[in-house]
Amino acid sequence: MAKRKMSSQELAEKIGITAANLSILKTGKAKAVRFSTLEAICQALDCQPGDILEYRED
């Protein structure tokens, strides 16, 4: 988002989710993410899923 100079609110509006739900995704508190949401994020940020996802062991 920083590279694209896009705020969280702007991204949330572009992908059709609430700012609160985007915040949950950004903080890693989400238990799941829909492929359609991931696709929309990647389209809005012009990136690949691997650019924004990270595996963390509990």
Side-chain angles (χ1 to χ4, degrees):
M1 288 174 39
K3 288 181 183 178
R4 304 289 184 253
K5 297 182 180 166
M6 189 179 301
S7 69
S8 292
Q9 183 64 38
E10 185 180 356
L11 179 59
E13 289 173 8
K14 280 189 174 203
I15 64 175
I17 65 172
T18 65
N21 283 340
L22 181 58
S23 177
I24 290 169
L25 290 172
K26 285 177 56 180
T27 59
K29 294 181 181 177
K31 301 215 184 276
V33 60
R34 292 182 179 186
F35 285 118
S36 59
T37 302
L38 181 59
E39 180 181 16
I41 292 169
C42 289
Q43 286 177 347
L45 297 177
D46 190 29
C47 66
Q48 294 294 312
D51 297 333
I52 57 175
L53 295 176
E54 176 183 58
Y55 173 75
R56 292 185 191 167
E57 213 170 308
D58 287 338

